[in-house]
Amino acid sequence: MALVTGGGVRLGRAIALGLAGAGHDLLVHYNRSEEPAAEVVAAVRALGRRAEAVSADLSTPEGAERVARAVEEHFGRLDLLVNSAASFDQAKLLEVDPERWDSVMDLNLRGPFLVARALAPLLTEARGSVVNMVDLSAFQPWVRYPHHGVSKAGLMHLTRVLARVLAPAVRVNAIAPGAVLPPDDASEAELEREIERTPLARIGSPDDIVRTVLFLTASPFVTGQVVVVDGGRSLEFG
């Protein structure tokens, strides 16, 4: 049984549906995207798997505990936690006020910590695993998304700390996608520039991330690692 946070939209949605297709029952978390989450639940059930949705603000301990209770009540176990819920806020660093900074850190970094803490007993009991979604901003100074990048760098380090703390019962890894699901407002010129900078000369697909989640789930001797899935894009910064 798997829990995908932010599982109603974008990459979280693709991961949830991919896991269901691979035979997982699903708890789909959402904050405000109730209708998309309901659509994912319906699609998972149509595949013959059990599925439920839960709404929670994961930046709060109460929200994380709400999700943990939903896992316990609906499924009674947890084999996989995918921390996908995140914001992607654009701003110049010196224009980011403390409230905006805290909002990004609360969802992107504090949230995964709170959820992992709340679900650690169930994950330990099932000898499950955690997959945290970071991105290339964890390695590179994205000046257009400075607070986002800092949160993802923190999540990458949290991945390694959790891998040490929760071992040997629970494995914890992360995935850093490249351009697999560009922003809805990305222009054709922006996409072409991204393709030109990518050694494999193409944009990726959410399916590339789904396959990586499934690989990590099925790899019992891998923990504390960050798998970069970017078509070689990060080589430009090597």
Side-chain angles (χ1 to χ4, degrees):
M1 179 269 160
L3 161 64
V4 180
T5 70
V9 296
R10 293 185 59 79
L11 194 53
R13 181 189 186 98
I15 293 170
L17 294 174
L19 288 170
H24 289 263
D25 296 330
L26 261 296
L27 181 64
V28 179
H29 157 268
Y30 68 95
N31 188 8
R32 291 183 292 270
S33 303
E34 180 176 6
E35 186 174 341
E39 292 171 356
V40 172
V41 168
V44 172
R45 289 174 177 170
L47 292 172
R49 307 308 310 179
R50 296 169 60 200
E52 300 289 343
V54 59
S55 173
D57 178 0
L58 298 184
S59 68
T60 68
E62 296 79 11
E65 291 295 337
R66 177 183 174 87
V67 170
R69 286 195 303 271
V71 173
E72 183 69 54
E73 292 170 4
H74 291 298
F75 300 95
R77 65 175 291 136
L78 180 63
D79 301 284
L80 172 64
L81 163 63
V82 180
N83 280 310
S84 179
S87 67
F88 194 60
D89 190 42
Q90 179 178 340
K92 295 180 180 178
L93 178 61
L94 301 184
E95 296 176 0
V96 179
D97 60 39
E99 292 75 19
R100 194 169 180 179
W101 178 276
D102 288 346
S103 177
V104 170
M105 296 298 161
D106 284 350
L107 178 57
N108 292 6
L109 179 55
R110 189 173 191 241
F113 158 67
L114 292 174
V115 173
R117 185 182 69 169
L119 290 166
L122 282 173
L123 286 164
T124 298
E125 183 179 353
R127 300 191 70 84
S129 65
V130 180
V131 176
N132 293 322
M133 302 305 301
V134 299
D135 56 40
L136 298 186
S137 70
F139 306 92
Q140 305 159 359
W142 288 6
V143 296
R144 294 171 61 193
Y145 302 89
H147 44 338
H148 173 86
V150 172
S151 73
K152 290 299 186 178
L155 181 56
M156 182 170 66
H157 192 68
L158 177 63
T159 297
R160 291 165 174 159
V161 173
L162 285 171
R164 292 288 299 274
V165 171
L166 298 180
V170 180
R171 297 180 301 105
V172 185
N173 294 288
I175 299 173
V180 298
L181 192 60
D184 295 334
D185 59 354
S187 68
E188 287 297 326
E190 289 173 326
L191 294 179
E192 285 299 324
R193 284 195 297 272
E194 192 65 29
I195 291 171
E196 290 172 2
R197 296 172 179 173
T198 301
L200 293 187
R202 63 179 178 85
I203 297 295
S205 160
D207 288 341
D208 295 309
I209 306 306
V210 172
R211 282 190 286 268
T212 308
V213 172
L214 293 172
F215 160 75
L216 290 172
T217 302
S219 301
F221 203 52
V222 178
T223 195
Q225 303 306 306
V226 182
V227 182
V228 179
V229 186
D230 70 344
R233 176 71 171 83
S234 54
L235 294 174
E236 179 179 329
F237 297 88

